[in-house]
Amino acid sequence: MKIKIALLGLGNIGTGVYKVLAHCGQKLEETQGLRIEMARVLVRDTAKARAVDIPAGLLTDRIEDILIDDSIGLVVECMGGIEPARTWLLAALRAGKSVVTANKMVIATCWEELDAAARASGAGLYYEASVAGGIPVIGTFNRSLQANTISEVMGIVNGTTNAILTDMSEVGLSFERALQHAQKKGYAEPDPTLDISGKDAAFKLSILASLAFGQRVRVEDVFVEGIERITQEDVAYGKTFGLTLKLLAIGRVESGRLQVRVHPAFLPSSHPLSSVRGPFNAIYLTGDALGQAMLYGRGAGDLPTASAIVSDIVMAAQHAGRHEHPAFLAGDVSDALPLEQNWQAAYYIHLRASDTPGALSQISGVLGKHGISLATVTQTARGSCTAPIIVITHPARELDIRRARQELACLDVVHDIVNIIRVEGGDGV
Amino acid sequence: MKIKIALLGLGNIGTGVYKVLAHCGQKLEETQGLRIEMARVLVRDTAKARAVDIPAGLLTDRIEDILIDDSIGLVVECMGGIEPARTWLLAALRAGKSVVTANKMVIATCWEELDAAARASGAGLYYEASVAGGIPVIGTFNRSLQANTISEVMGIVNGTTNAILTDMSEVGLSFERALQHAQKKGYAEPDPTLDISGKDAAFKLSILASLAFGQRVRVEDVFVEGIERITQEDVAYGKTFGLTLKLLAIGRVESGRLQVRVHPAFLPSSHPLSSVRGPFNAIYLTGDALGQAMLYGRGAGDLPTASAIVSDIVMAAQHAGRHEHPAFLAGDVSDALPLEQNWQAAYYIHLRASDTPGALSQISGVLGKHGISLATVTQTARGSCTAPIIVITHPARELDIRRARQELACLDVVHDIVNIIRVEGGDGV
């Protein structure tokens, strides 16, 4: 079997794909009986110096060269962003060319029209690399968990924030220093907003939750909170309680309703996600037959991402003429779960309060009034006029916490509400 | 699409498959467009009371009823053991029926003839459930890592021993008490020999390593050491060094040679496999493109195993007429790596020695003579005439350790060599 492909984009990921294909081509012929021929590489500037040695005839700056070439059966998109990726992928799919993409944004936001174009022409649409880089999480949902109804997906899907939080926890760096360190090591972009705001994770969760729960979950359905307000102090306090701070992307079914969100949260150190350090990613899931499972690995980087892309190319080639498409994209799923935002979690509440005997009772009074019961309370630094108080609550509703927060802020004895952070995974893992 | 299947065996796993199929049948029709019809269930005694309600007409005690029924396209084997499984599976494959099996023994030992029968008739042979229960590790190797050359696979693939070691480490139980506890909880068989000897893990490693390295690795190629001689004392000493004891199944390529083995080993507590507790399983691997990755989940149990079996049934149905077969089984792989047994690891050496000033220098002298250098030495309990000495070495060769051990045993100052245990994963994970 032979397939001619075109590569769109020759940045970090595109170059990785080119390298990995050159490296593993012979192996793929031997083990898969598949010969992948690189026919065209689309770049913005064909004259620019490249990190890889590419025959000059392959380079082009005209998408038409690829779209009108009927011998090209598959297009690998490594450009990122929505346009022109969307327009070009639609054109490729309409021309019957299968698409393999690493682009979380274009899948998360334009999935329906891309899928419809693919179904109409009989082409395939593959996007394993769009979530968690090299970790085969999409393939696992599509091809290994069919017997399961998934009740929860909990992922660390952004390596930048995980590297920052790991440095804050293990090296004791401040948020700012940890961010600088991540930029220096190449884990964070010069403008890290998309990562630290949680938005990057929300794009990935949109794709992941759609596949996990078999219904379309849109980016705008995802409640998002980033790690901008996390302090070194909070990370350190959490550690004293045996808790590790992570930015989590969560989809969870509770009482027949689906909740999807990205937020920083503490996890018990014994939770499998707690040991996911540095730029690594992991997806922890619960299925009714499988029970708990986790997939762990590198969520970014040129070669890990290329590993996922090549597996998609092989899959696309082997399924030529009979590509599969998620059932939930074909039309409205009649039994889709209603979405809800009424999160339940334990909470870590970090306050500065007057170091007076009555302060604690006023604070617990406000929490109690909103139905929030306390698991532990720690008050330190007696002697100065302000004492840090750390409260860990039993599971409480987000709305109750918000109301209690407003009331706590009005108490004279409360000088400052430093941070309120969710505590997840406390179900005795 | 519709497929009629037969189930061989209605023990724990077979009953799980029956239950899961009954439960997820409608979902599979909706999401996969696949209707799975249970046509026959082979049992030893059709009159026996069952945990599930099965129409009487489905039960049979004659394999012929299944083999001669041309409407049955697939056979799910949940009997275990080599015979009669081997004979019946060969007959089914020769009759053109695909086979899905949870049987590690029959795959590990009869793989070639089963695969040859499948190829000859065009049937499929699927065995996701044979290794690590519900964890989709076979699918991952076959369908997600094609671009990678794997340099190492390191697995916790036996839940019984992992539950025992977890109890020894976390609860402080002795080996005997931990084993009793595992038996009480149903994690260990009444006769636990196959598990604690490491042989069960060796069967699984044979399959896993064959797929990972693309060449046939036989059970008899695997060096096996069990956990019978592990003491609570060793587990506790290891902990003081930040080490966690696990029974590991390892395949590793070193200098162009493949080594495969099952043995107990300490891992740094920061290693992802260290946090795999109780009956859970995990497979940690290193690929040249992907880097490090880990798959984690339930390695046994009726429903997790059924989850894997159902995914195989779906795969088999969707690939009817074009099943895939591992290239390395088709004939001799010309570039198969030579196998070697010359393991390199750091070592934990636990001795009881005379509490005299010269003892330590004699001991380190023997180790040094065999090229074994010391990373740390701890001597405690000064005052009594015998002192426990714990040595952690730098990476050393197994053969050198064996020679040094013989010589240490002859030293007058050494009263007892309590245990020598490998330390893996020290490459700065």
Side-chain angles (χ1 to χ4, degrees):
Chain A
M1 198 171 12
K2 184 180 148 182
I3 188 166
K4 280 176 82 171
I5 72 172
L7 190 57
L8 311 189
L10 203 57
N12 189 32
I13 305 295
T15 305
V17 171
Y18 194 90
K19 276 191 210 166
V20 167
L21 279 176
H23 183 70
C24 74
Q26 202 192 333
K27 181 183 147 87
L28 291 178
E29 284 203 49
E30 286 173 14
T31 60
Q32 311 292 323
L34 175 66
R35 194 164 151 222
I36 300 172
E37 189 189 320
M38 182 67 73
R40 279 289 187 178
V41 179
L42 180 79
V43 293
R44 225 172 272 164
D45 176 4
T46 56
K48 189 176 156 188
R50 302 285 166 188
V52 281
D53 205 21
I54 296 182
L58 290 192
L59 291 177
T60 177
D61 54 7
R62 294 164 29 91
I63 184 70
E64 296 75 22
D65 288 347
I66 292 162
L67 294 175
I68 60 162
D69 185 341
D70 288 339
S71 72
I72 294 173
L74 185 143
V75 165
V76 178
E77 187 257 312
C78 306
M79 305 182 301
I82 291 176
E83 286 294 355
R86 173 185 156 275
T87 302
W88 293 354
L89 294 187
L90 283 172
L93 290 166
R94 285 173 188 145
K97 299 181 198 310
S98 288
V99 162
V100 170
T101 178
N103 187 335
K104 58 187 171 284
M105 277 194 190
V106 82
I107 291 293
T109 56
C110 314
W111 204 345
E112 286 87 347
E113 54 177 343
L114 290 167
D115 181 73
R119 284 177 204 253
S121 75
L125 177 62
Y126 296 83
Y127 38 85
E128 177 64 82
S130 68
V131 179
I135 307 175
V137 60
I138 309 265
T140 298
F141 276 118
N142 284 342
R143 297 190 295 269
S144 299
L145 302 179
Q146 303 99 324
N148 289 269
T149 297
I150 306 293
S151 57
E152 185 178 58
V153 178
M154 201 188 250
I156 295 172
V157 293
N158 181 275
T160 305
T161 48
N162 203 54
I164 291 171
L165 293 172
T166 303
D167 271 351
M168 289 174 74
S169 170
E170 297 184 5
V171 190
L173 299 186
S174 69
F175 174 78
E176 291 72 21
R177 292 294 299 275
L179 171 57
Q180 284 165 14
H181 186 233
Q183 286 171 323
K184 213 168 127 188
K185 291 192 82 169
Y187 299 147
E189 304 284 329
D191 177 1
T193 315
L194 201 63
D195 292 317
I196 64 172
S197 67
K199 284 202 187 109
D200 172 84
F203 281 112
K204 292 166 179 166
L205 180 62
S206 158
I207 302 170
L208 208 51
S210 296
L211 294 169
F213 302 106
Q215 66 184 70
R216 184 70 161 100
V217 176
R218 290 185 175 72
V219 182
E220 52 270 31
D221 297 329
V222 181
F223 169 97
V224 184
E225 197 179 297
I227 64 164
E228 306 91 335
R229 290 175 46 233
I230 299 297
T231 70
Q232 214 292 312
E233 216 182 348
D234 291 314
V235 172
Y237 274 128
K239 257 176 118 169
T240 67
F241 292 100
L243 299 171
T244 307
L245 195 78
K246 296 292 178 191
L247 180 67
L248 299 179
I250 313 179
R252 180 181 291 163
V253 178
E254 211 187 295
S255 311
R257 286 163 183 277
L258 177 59
Q259 306 204 43
V260 281
R261 40 174 55 222
V262 172
H263 63 220
F266 282 115
L267 286 171
S269 301
S270 60
H271 193 287
L273 285 175
S274 288
S275 52
V276 176
R277 301 162 60 238
F280 278 86
N281 278 200
I283 290 94
Y284 184 81
L285 60 96
T286 307
D288 58 350
L290 180 60
Q292 294 93 17
M294 186 172 83
L295 308 176
Y296 163 98
R298 294 191 178 272
D302 53 350
L303 300 185
T305 307
S307 168
I309 288 172
V310 173
S311 77
D312 270 355
I313 298 173
V314 174
M315 189 67 58
Q318 288 172 344
H319 288 72
R322 41 178 194 84
H323 300 285
E324 283 159 32
H325 302 275
F328 65 87
L329 287 174
D332 290 335
V333 175
S334 57
D335 57 348
L337 301 172
L339 289 164
E340 186 166 81
Q341 296 291 0
N342 181 21
W343 198 250
Q344 189 170 29
Y347 278 84
Y348 157 101
I349 301 174
H350 177 190
L351 308 166
R352 290 184 196 283
S354 302
D355 195 5
T356 52
L360 211 51
S361 102
Q362 285 187 51
I363 292 165
S364 57
V366 167
L367 294 171
K369 189 181 141 194
H370 291 281
I372 301 159
S373 70
L374 313 189
T376 70
V377 179
T378 313
Q379 185 168 11
T380 50
R382 286 211 168 268
S384 70
C385 61
T386 303
I389 294 179
I390 308 289
V391 174
I392 310 269
T393 75
H394 285 297
R397 291 282 167 194
E398 200 161 77
L399 213 57
D400 295 326
I401 291 282
R402 250 181 248 162
R403 289 185 188 126
R405 178 183 202 136
Q406 287 172 354
E407 229 169 288
L408 285 174
C410 299
L411 290 181
D412 283 343
V413 296
V414 172
H415 300 183
D416 187 19
I417 301 176
V418 184
N419 234 330
I420 298 187
I421 301 173
R422 295 163 195 85
V423 181
E424 306 284 353
D427 42 69
V429 172
Chain B
M1 195 174 12
K2 183 180 145 181
I3 189 167
K4 280 176 79 171
I5 71 170
L7 189 57
L8 311 188
L10 201 56
N12 188 34
I13 304 295
T15 305
V17 172
Y18 194 90
K19 278 191 212 164
V20 168
L21 279 176
H23 183 70
C24 74
Q26 202 191 333
K27 181 183 147 88
L28 292 178
E29 283 202 50
E30 285 173 17
T31 61
Q32 311 292 322
L34 176 66
R35 190 160 155 227
I36 301 172
E37 188 190 320
M38 182 69 72
R40 281 290 187 175
V41 179
L42 181 79
V43 293
R44 227 174 270 164
D45 176 5
T46 56
K48 190 175 155 186
R50 302 285 165 190
V52 282
D53 205 22
I54 296 182
L58 289 193
L59 291 177
T60 177
D61 54 6
R62 293 164 31 91
I63 183 73
E64 296 74 22
D65 288 347
I66 292 162
L67 294 176
I68 61 162
D69 184 341
D70 287 339
S71 73
I72 294 173
L74 185 145
V75 165
V76 179
E77 187 258 313
C78 305
M79 307 183 299
I82 292 176
E83 286 296 356
R86 173 184 157 275
T87 302
W88 293 354
L89 295 186
L90 282 171
L93 291 166
R94 285 176 189 141
K97 299 181 199 309
S98 288
V99 161
V100 171
T101 178
N103 188 332
K104 59 187 172 282
M105 274 193 190
V106 82
I107 292 293
T109 56
C110 314
W111 203 347
E112 286 87 347
E113 53 178 343
L114 290 167
D115 181 72
R119 283 178 204 255
S121 74
L125 177 62
Y126 296 84
Y127 38 85
E128 177 63 83
S130 68
V131 179
I135 307 173
V137 60
I138 310 265
T140 299
F141 276 119
N142 284 342
R143 298 189 294 268
S144 300
L145 303 179
Q146 303 97 325
N148 290 268
T149 297
I150 307 293
S151 57
E152 185 178 58
V153 178
M154 202 189 252
I156 295 173
V157 292
N158 182 276
T160 306
T161 47
N162 202 54
I164 291 171
L165 293 172
T166 303
D167 272 350
M168 289 174 74
S169 172
E170 297 185 5
V171 190
L173 299 185
S174 67
F175 173 77
E176 291 73 20
R177 292 294 298 276
L179 172 57
Q180 285 164 14
H181 186 234
Q183 285 171 325
K184 213 169 127 189
K185 291 193 82 168
Y187 298 149
E189 304 282 331
D191 177 1
T193 315
L194 200 64
D195 292 317
I196 64 173
S197 67
K199 285 201 185 108
D200 172 84
F203 281 112
K204 292 164 179 166
L205 180 62
S206 158
I207 301 170
L208 208 52
S210 296
L211 294 169
F213 303 106
Q215 65 183 70
R216 183 71 162 100
V217 176
R218 290 185 177 72
V219 183
E220 53 270 30
D221 295 331
V222 181
F223 169 96
V224 184
E225 197 177 295
I227 64 162
E228 306 92 334
R229 289 176 46 234
I230 299 298
T231 70
Q232 214 292 311
E233 215 182 349
D234 291 315
V235 172
Y237 274 128
K239 259 176 114 169
T240 67
F241 293 100
L243 298 171
T244 306
L245 196 77
K246 295 291 177 192
L247 180 66
L248 299 178
I250 312 176
R252 181 180 291 162
V253 177
E254 211 188 295
S255 312
R257 287 163 183 276
L258 177 59
Q259 306 203 45
V260 280
R261 43 172 56 222
V262 172
H263 62 221
F266 283 114
L267 286 171
S269 300
S270 60
H271 193 286
L273 286 175
S274 287
S275 53
V276 177
R277 301 162 61 236
F280 278 86
N281 279 197
I283 290 93
Y284 184 81
L285 59 94
T286 308
D288 57 351
L290 179 60
Q292 292 95 16
M294 185 171 83
L295 308 175
Y296 163 97
R298 294 193 178 269
D302 52 351
L303 301 185
T305 307
S307 168
I309 287 173
V310 172
S311 77
D312 270 356
I313 297 173
V314 174
M315 189 66 59
Q318 288 172 343
H319 287 73
R322 42 180 192 82
H323 300 287
E324 282 159 31
H325 301 275
F328 64 87
L329 287 174
D332 290 333
V333 175
S334 58
D335 56 349
L337 302 171
L339 290 164
E340 187 167 77
Q341 296 290 1
N342 180 22
W343 199 252
Q344 189 170 28
Y347 279 83
Y348 157 102
I349 302 174
H350 176 189
L351 308 166
R352 293 185 193 283
S354 303
D355 194 6
T356 52
L360 211 51
S361 103
Q362 284 188 52
I363 292 163
S364 57
V366 167
L367 294 172
K369 189 180 141 193
H370 291 281
I372 301 159
S373 69
L374 311 191
T376 70
V377 179
T378 313
Q379 186 169 11
T380 50
R382 285 212 169 266
S384 71
C385 61
T386 303
I389 294 178
I390 309 289
V391 173
I392 310 270
T393 75
H394 285 296
R397 290 282 168 194
E398 200 161 76
L399 213 59
D400 294 327
I401 291 284
R402 249 180 248 163
R403 287 183 189 128
R405 177 183 203 135
Q406 287 172 354
E407 228 168 289
L408 286 174
C410 299
L411 289 182
D412 284 342
V413 295
V414 172
H415 300 180
D416 186 20
I417 301 175
V418 183
N419 234 331
I420 298 186
I421 300 172
R422 293 161 195 87
V423 181
E424 306 284 353
D427 42 68
V429 173

Short mmCIF file of all heavy atoms in Angstrom, two decimals, chain B residues 355-376:
data_model
loop_
_atom_site.label_atom_id
_atom_site.label_comp_id
_atom_site.label_asym_id
_atom_site.label_seq_id
_atom_site.Cartn_x
_atom_site.Cartn_y
_atom_site.Cartn_z
N ASP B 355 29.75 -6.01 64.13
CA ASP B 355 29.81 -4.57 64.37
C ASP B 355 31.23 -4.20 64.79
O ASP B 355 31.48 -3.76 65.89
CB ASP B 355 28.79 -4.20 65.45
CG ASP B 355 28.58 -2.68 65.49
OD1 ASP B 355 29.15 -1.99 64.62
OD2 ASP B 355 27.86 -2.22 66.38
N THR B 356 32.15 -4.42 63.85
CA THR B 356 33.55 -4.11 64.13
C THR B 356 34.04 -3.10 63.10
O THR B 356 33.51 -3.06 61.98
CB THR B 356 34.42 -5.39 64.00
OG1 THR B 356 34.14 -5.99 62.73
CG2 THR B 356 34.09 -6.37 65.11
N PRO B 357 35.03 -2.29 63.47
CA PRO B 357 35.49 -1.22 62.57
C PRO B 357 35.91 -1.74 61.19
O PRO B 357 35.66 -1.10 60.19
CB PRO B 357 36.69 -0.63 63.31
CG PRO B 357 36.46 -0.97 64.75
CD PRO B 357 35.75 -2.29 64.77
N GLY B 358 36.51 -2.93 61.12
CA GLY B 358 37.02 -3.39 59.82
C GLY B 358 35.99 -3.97 58.89
O GLY B 358 36.25 -4.16 57.70
N ALA B 359 34.79 -4.26 59.41
CA ALA B 359 33.80 -5.00 58.61
C ALA B 359 33.46 -4.30 57.31
O ALA B 359 33.52 -4.87 56.22
CB ALA B 359 32.53 -5.24 59.44
N LEU B 360 33.13 -3.02 57.44
CA LEU B 360 32.69 -2.25 56.28
C LEU B 360 33.78 -2.19 55.20
O LEU B 360 33.49 -2.28 54.01
CB LEU B 360 32.30 -0.84 56.74
CG LEU B 360 31.21 -0.15 55.95
CD1 LEU B 360 29.97 -1.02 55.80
CD2 LEU B 360 30.84 1.16 56.63
N SER B 361 35.03 -2.05 55.66
CA SER B 361 36.09 -1.93 54.67
C SER B 361 36.30 -3.26 53.94
O SER B 361 36.59 -3.28 52.75
CB SER B 361 37.37 -1.42 55.33
OG SER B 361 38.29 -2.46 55.52
N GLN B 362 36.11 -4.37 54.65
CA GLN B 362 36.21 -5.68 53.97
C GLN B 362 35.10 -5.84 52.93
O GLN B 362 35.33 -6.33 51.83
CB GLN B 362 36.11 -6.81 55.00
CG GLN B 362 37.38 -7.02 55.80
CD GLN B 362 37.28 -8.28 56.67
OE1 GLN B 362 36.96 -9.35 56.17
NE2 GLN B 362 37.55 -8.13 57.95
N ILE B 363 33.90 -5.42 53.34
CA ILE B 363 32.74 -5.55 52.43
C ILE B 363 32.91 -4.70 51.19
O ILE B 363 32.77 -5.16 50.05
CB ILE B 363 31.44 -5.20 53.18
CG1 ILE B 363 31.14 -6.26 54.23
CG2 ILE B 363 30.26 -5.05 52.22
CD1 ILE B 363 30.14 -5.85 55.29
N SER B 364 33.28 -3.43 51.40
CA SER B 364 33.43 -2.56 50.23
C SER B 364 34.63 -3.01 49.40
O SER B 364 34.64 -2.83 48.18
CB SER B 364 33.55 -1.10 50.65
OG SER B 364 34.62 -0.93 51.53
N GLY B 365 35.60 -3.63 50.06
CA GLY B 365 36.74 -4.17 49.33
C GLY B 365 36.32 -5.26 48.35
O GLY B 365 36.70 -5.25 47.17
N VAL B 366 35.47 -6.18 48.81
CA VAL B 366 34.98 -7.26 47.93
C VAL B 366 34.18 -6.66 46.76
O VAL B 366 34.37 -7.06 45.60
CB VAL B 366 34.09 -8.25 48.73
CG1 VAL B 366 33.33 -9.17 47.78
CG2 VAL B 366 34.95 -9.06 49.68
N LEU B 367 33.31 -5.71 47.09
CA LEU B 367 32.50 -5.11 46.01
C LEU B 367 33.40 -4.41 45.01
O LEU B 367 33.24 -4.57 43.78
CB LEU B 367 31.47 -4.15 46.61
CG LEU B 367 30.37 -4.80 47.48
CD1 LEU B 367 29.53 -3.74 48.19
CD2 LEU B 367 29.49 -5.71 46.64
N GLY B 368 34.34 -3.63 45.51
CA GLY B 368 35.26 -2.90 44.63
C GLY B 368 36.05 -3.82 43.73
O GLY B 368 36.26 -3.53 42.54
N LYS B 369 36.46 -4.94 44.27
CA LYS B 369 37.22 -5.93 43.50
C LYS B 369 36.43 -6.40 42.27
O LYS B 369 37.00 -6.72 41.23
CB LYS B 369 37.50 -7.12 44.42
CG LYS B 369 38.44 -8.15 43.86
CD LYS B 369 38.65 -9.28 44.85
CE LYS B 369 38.71 -10.61 44.11
NZ LYS B 369 38.61 -11.75 45.04
N HIS B 370 35.10 -6.41 42.40
CA HIS B 370 34.27 -6.83 41.26
C HIS B 370 33.73 -5.64 40.47
O HIS B 370 32.74 -5.76 39.74
CB HIS B 370 33.12 -7.72 41.77
CG HIS B 370 33.61 -9.05 42.27
ND1 HIS B 370 33.93 -10.09 41.43
CD2 HIS B 370 33.90 -9.47 43.52
CE1 HIS B 370 34.37 -11.11 42.14
NE2 HIS B 370 34.37 -10.77 43.41
N GLY B 371 34.36 -4.51 40.69
CA GLY B 371 33.98 -3.34 39.89
C GLY B 371 32.68 -2.68 40.32
O GLY B 371 32.08 -1.94 39.56
N ILE B 372 32.25 -2.98 41.55
CA ILE B 372 30.97 -2.44 42.03
C ILE B 372 31.26 -1.26 42.96
O ILE B 372 31.87 -1.44 44.01
CB ILE B 372 30.17 -3.51 42.79
CG1 ILE B 372 29.92 -4.71 41.87
CG2 ILE B 372 28.86 -2.93 43.34
CD1 ILE B 372 29.60 -5.99 42.61
N SER B 373 30.84 -0.07 42.56
CA SER B 373 31.11 1.09 43.41
C SER B 373 29.86 1.47 44.20
O SER B 373 28.73 1.22 43.77
CB SER B 373 31.61 2.26 42.58
OG SER B 373 30.58 2.75 41.77
N LEU B 374 30.07 2.05 45.37
CA LEU B 374 28.99 2.30 46.30
C LEU B 374 28.43 3.71 46.19
O LEU B 374 29.18 4.67 46.08
CB LEU B 374 29.48 2.09 47.74
CG LEU B 374 30.25 0.78 48.00
CD1 LEU B 374 30.46 0.57 49.49
CD2 LEU B 374 29.54 -0.41 47.39
N ALA B 375 27.12 3.82 46.20
CA ALA B 375 26.49 5.14 46.19
C ALA B 375 26.25 5.59 47.63
O ALA B 375 26.57 6.71 48.00
CB ALA B 375 25.17 5.10 45.41
N THR B 376 25.67 4.71 48.46
CA THR B 376 25.47 5.04 49.88
C THR B 376 25.65 3.78 50.72
O THR B 376 25.41 2.66 50.27
CB THR B 376 24.04 5.57 50.18
OG1 THR B 376 23.12 4.48 50.03
CG2 THR B 376 23.62 6.69 49.27
#
